[in-house]
């Protein structure tokens, strides 16, 4: 079993063990000058979530088996920031840098047809990568941000993205093969080898980026979706409880208030501008919903629910008593 990186692994050891992880560090916003400090210390200083950093580092070094059991420890937010920074790196730095080197190496100034086609092929590829990453930035990450804010969308699942998600390294592989097998350099051969080396690295980097999305990001978002779906169920249950404790409609509450103030059915009908039959229907429904059939029982319910004030009821009762004694 490979020795996975952990909290106490020295950051400098990780870089020496797998130099390709240097790019990962910059995407997490971790600068060089790491000294002998551990992953945990460096992440704490840089404000990076350590379990997420370790999950990505182990994934890129040892594959998805290294993180399967720790998926629930991954911060979706930190992982998404990492992926956004990676997109920015490819679109703003790495792919344009390769284009500049390619332009220099294949000597398009000579109007070599193959050289011009290679450049056109590369430009087409850059456009594809841009569309792929802009879709993720604008659609998928916006969806995940809403999930992180507690908004659960029943009509979309991260699996919908996963099913459509394709690798973006194949065309680069094709370009690399065309150059290696069919392009005879007329200019500086060293420059072409130099750019080929960059294409090899970029291809591997893009492949691992897509794998990270499929095997770490998608499952981590899936866990978040499940948690929110469960919370949604709890919320529904709570709403159901509310119905049990507060089952009366606004009109029924008005009827209760009238009854506990001592009004007759006729008085309630006149007061609420409804028919006596409607009052009787409301009373029947109130009794059924509350399972309370007496005025004294309704009075307790009305006071306990805050529908009426006990002092007001006492004053009303005193007025009625005084009136009956006249
Ligand atoms: Fe991506
Ligand atoms: Fe992707």
């Amino acid at each position: 079993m490979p020795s996975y990186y952990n909290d106490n692994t020295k950051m400098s050891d990780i870089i020496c063990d797998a130099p390709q992880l240097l790019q990962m560090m910059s995407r997490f916003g971790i600068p060089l000058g790491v000294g002998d400090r551990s992953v945990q210390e460096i992440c704490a200083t840089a404000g990076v979530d350590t379990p997420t950093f370790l999950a990505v580092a182990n994934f890129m070094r040892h594959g998805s088996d290294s993180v399967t059991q720790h998926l629930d420890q991954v911060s979706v937010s930190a992982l998404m920031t990492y992926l956004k920074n990676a997109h920015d790196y490819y679109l703003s730095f790495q792919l344009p840098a390769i284009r500049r080197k390619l332009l220099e190496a294949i000597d398009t100034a000579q109007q070599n047809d193959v050289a011009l086609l290679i450049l056109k092929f590369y430009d087409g590829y850059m456009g594809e990568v841009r569309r792929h990453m802009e879709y993720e930035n604008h659609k998928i990450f916006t969806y995940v941000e809403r999930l992180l804010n507690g908004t659960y969308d029943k009509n979309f699942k991260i699996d919908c993205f996963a099913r459509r998600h394709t690798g973006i390294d194949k065309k680069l592989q094709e370009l690399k093969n065309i150059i290696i097998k069919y392009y005879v350099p007329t200019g500086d051969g060293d420059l072409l080898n130099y750019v080929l080396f960059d294409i090899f690295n970029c291809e591997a980097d893009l492949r691992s980026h897509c794998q990270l999305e499929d095997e770490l990001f998608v499952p981590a978002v899936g866990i978040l979706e499940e948690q929110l779906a469960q919370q949604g169920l709890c919320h529904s249950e709570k709403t159901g409880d509310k119905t049990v404790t507060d089952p009366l409609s606004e009109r029924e509450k008005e009827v209760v208030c009238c009854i506990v103030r001592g009004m007759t059915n006729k008085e309630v009908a006149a007061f609420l501008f409804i028919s006596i039959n409607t009052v009787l229907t409301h009373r029947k429904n109130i009794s059924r919903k509350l399972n309370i059939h007496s005025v004294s029982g309704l009075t307790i319910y009305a006071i306990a629910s805050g529908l009426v004030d006990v002092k007001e009821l006492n004053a009303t009762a005193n007025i009625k008593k005084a009136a009956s004694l006249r």
Side-chain angles (χ1 to χ4, degrees), residues 87 132-133 136 161 165-166 168 209-210 213:
H87 291 173
H132 180 111
M133 291 184 178
E136 288 170 357
F161 160 71
H165 191 227
T166 53
I168 42 176
H209 174 86
C210 287
E213 287 173 334

mmCIF file of all heavy atoms in Angstrom, residues 87 132-133 136 161 165-166 168 209-210 213, ligand 2:
data_model
loop_
_atom_site.group_PDB
_atom_site.id
_atom_site.type_symbol
_atom_site.label_atom_id
_atom_site.label_comp_id
_atom_site.label_asym_id
_atom_site.label_seq_id
_atom_site.Cartn_x
_atom_site.Cartn_y
_atom_site.Cartn_z
ATOM 1 N N HIS A 87 -8.952 26.219 -13.852
ATOM 2 C CA HIS A 87 -9.498 26.701 -15.131
ATOM 3 C C HIS A 87 -8.804 27.997 -15.539
ATOM 4 O O HIS A 87 -8.430 28.178 -16.700
ATOM 5 C CB HIS A 87 -11.009 26.958 -15.010
ATOM 6 C CG HIS A 87 -11.819 25.709 -14.850
ATOM 7 N ND1 HIS A 87 -13.166 25.705 -14.592
ATOM 8 C CD2 HIS A 87 -11.445 24.403 -14.914
ATOM 9 C CE1 HIS A 87 -13.604 24.463 -14.520
ATOM 10 N NE2 HIS A 87 -12.570 23.646 -14.693
ATOM 11 N N HIS A 132 -15.686 24.302 -22.566
ATOM 12 C CA HIS A 132 -15.831 23.275 -21.537
ATOM 13 C C HIS A 132 -15.726 23.907 -20.131
ATOM 14 O O HIS A 132 -16.558 23.667 -19.257
ATOM 15 C CB HIS A 132 -14.720 22.234 -21.737
ATOM 16 C CG HIS A 132 -14.720 21.104 -20.751
ATOM 17 N ND1 HIS A 132 -15.044 19.814 -21.095
ATOM 18 C CD2 HIS A 132 -14.417 21.062 -19.431
ATOM 19 C CE1 HIS A 132 -14.945 19.040 -20.038
ATOM 20 N NE2 HIS A 132 -14.560 19.782 -19.004
ATOM 21 N N MET A 133 -14.704 24.735 -19.954
ATOM 22 C CA MET A 133 -14.452 25.279 -18.615
ATOM 23 C C MET A 133 -15.417 26.412 -18.268
ATOM 24 O O MET A 133 -15.803 26.563 -17.107
ATOM 25 C CB MET A 133 -13.004 25.743 -18.510
ATOM 26 C CG MET A 133 -12.077 24.543 -18.533
ATOM 27 S SD MET A 133 -10.367 24.936 -18.316
ATOM 28 C CE MET A 133 -9.666 23.286 -18.341
ATOM 29 N N GLU A 136 -18.521 24.868 -16.994
ATOM 30 C CA GLU A 136 -18.369 24.446 -15.594
ATOM 31 C C GLU A 136 -18.399 25.660 -14.656
ATOM 32 O O GLU A 136 -19.061 25.642 -13.624
ATOM 33 C CB GLU A 136 -17.063 23.658 -15.422
ATOM 34 C CG GLU A 136 -17.163 22.278 -16.050
ATOM 35 C CD GLU A 136 -15.844 21.546 -16.138
ATOM 36 O OE1 GLU A 136 -14.799 22.122 -15.767
ATOM 37 O OE2 GLU A 136 -15.853 20.395 -16.605
ATOM 38 N N PHE A 161 -24.484 16.288 -14.877
ATOM 39 C CA PHE A 161 -23.213 16.834 -15.377
ATOM 40 C C PHE A 161 -22.227 15.688 -15.626
ATOM 41 O O PHE A 161 -21.571 15.628 -16.674
ATOM 42 C CB PHE A 161 -22.644 17.826 -14.354
ATOM 43 C CG PHE A 161 -21.175 18.104 -14.498
ATOM 44 C CD1 PHE A 161 -20.700 18.856 -15.571
ATOM 45 C CD2 PHE A 161 -20.256 17.622 -13.574
ATOM 46 C CE1 PHE A 161 -19.342 19.112 -15.715
ATOM 47 C CE2 PHE A 161 -18.912 17.869 -13.705
ATOM 48 C CZ PHE A 161 -18.450 18.620 -14.784
ATOM 49 N N HIS A 165 -20.022 14.806 -18.938
ATOM 50 C CA HIS A 165 -18.662 15.319 -18.804
ATOM 51 C C HIS A 165 -17.670 14.461 -19.591
ATOM 52 O O HIS A 165 -17.610 13.251 -19.408
ATOM 53 C CB HIS A 165 -18.285 15.321 -17.316
ATOM 54 C CG HIS A 165 -17.025 16.052 -17.033
ATOM 55 N ND1 HIS A 165 -16.033 15.540 -16.235
ATOM 56 C CD2 HIS A 165 -16.580 17.253 -17.451
ATOM 57 C CE1 HIS A 165 -15.048 16.407 -16.171
ATOM 58 N NE2 HIS A 165 -15.349 17.465 -16.893
ATOM 59 N N THR A 166 -16.913 15.122 -20.469
ATOM 60 C CA THR A 166 -15.946 14.374 -21.274
ATOM 61 C C THR A 166 -14.541 14.900 -21.003
ATOM 62 O O THR A 166 -14.367 16.027 -20.538
ATOM 63 C CB THR A 166 -16.237 14.562 -22.776
ATOM 64 O OG1 THR A 166 -16.310 15.972 -23.033
ATOM 65 C CG2 THR A 166 -17.535 13.905 -23.186
ATOM 66 N N ILE A 168 -10.825 16.404 -21.878
ATOM 67 C CA ILE A 168 -10.448 17.453 -22.832
ATOM 68 C C ILE A 168 -8.970 17.312 -23.222
ATOM 69 O O ILE A 168 -8.369 18.238 -23.726
ATOM 70 C CB ILE A 168 -10.714 18.872 -22.269
ATOM 71 C CG1 ILE A 168 -10.290 18.943 -20.801
ATOM 72 C CG2 ILE A 168 -12.134 19.283 -22.479
ATOM 73 C CD1 ILE A 168 -10.432 20.311 -20.212
ATOM 74 N N HIS A 209 -7.063 16.597 -14.190
ATOM 75 C CA HIS A 209 -8.077 17.584 -13.796
ATOM 76 C C HIS A 209 -9.486 17.005 -14.010
ATOM 77 O O HIS A 209 -10.337 17.081 -13.115
ATOM 78 C CB HIS A 209 -7.898 18.853 -14.642
ATOM 79 C CG HIS A 209 -8.968 19.880 -14.437
ATOM 80 N ND1 HIS A 209 -8.915 20.823 -13.431
ATOM 81 C CD2 HIS A 209 -10.138 20.101 -15.083
ATOM 82 C CE1 HIS A 209 -9.997 21.581 -13.489
ATOM 83 N NE2 HIS A 209 -10.751 21.164 -14.486
ATOM 84 N N CYS A 210 -9.705 16.404 -15.171
ATOM 85 C CA CYS A 210 -11.034 15.839 -15.467
ATOM 86 C C CYS A 210 -11.339 14.645 -14.563
ATOM 87 O O CYS A 210 -12.476 14.458 -14.125
ATOM 88 C CB CYS A 210 -11.129 15.450 -16.941
ATOM 89 S SG CYS A 210 -11.262 16.890 -18.005
ATOM 90 N N GLU A 213 -12.446 15.889 -11.277
ATOM 91 C CA GLU A 213 -13.848 16.332 -11.321
ATOM 92 C C GLU A 213 -14.789 15.131 -11.251
ATOM 93 O O GLU A 213 -15.771 15.148 -10.516
ATOM 94 C CB GLU A 213 -14.095 17.151 -12.600
ATOM 95 C CG GLU A 213 -13.463 18.527 -12.511
ATOM 96 C CD GLU A 213 -13.529 19.329 -13.798
ATOM 97 O OE1 GLU A 213 -13.596 18.723 -14.892
ATOM 98 O OE2 GLU A 213 -13.474 20.553 -13.733
HETATM 99 FE FE1 LIG B 2 -14.269 19.305 -16.838
#
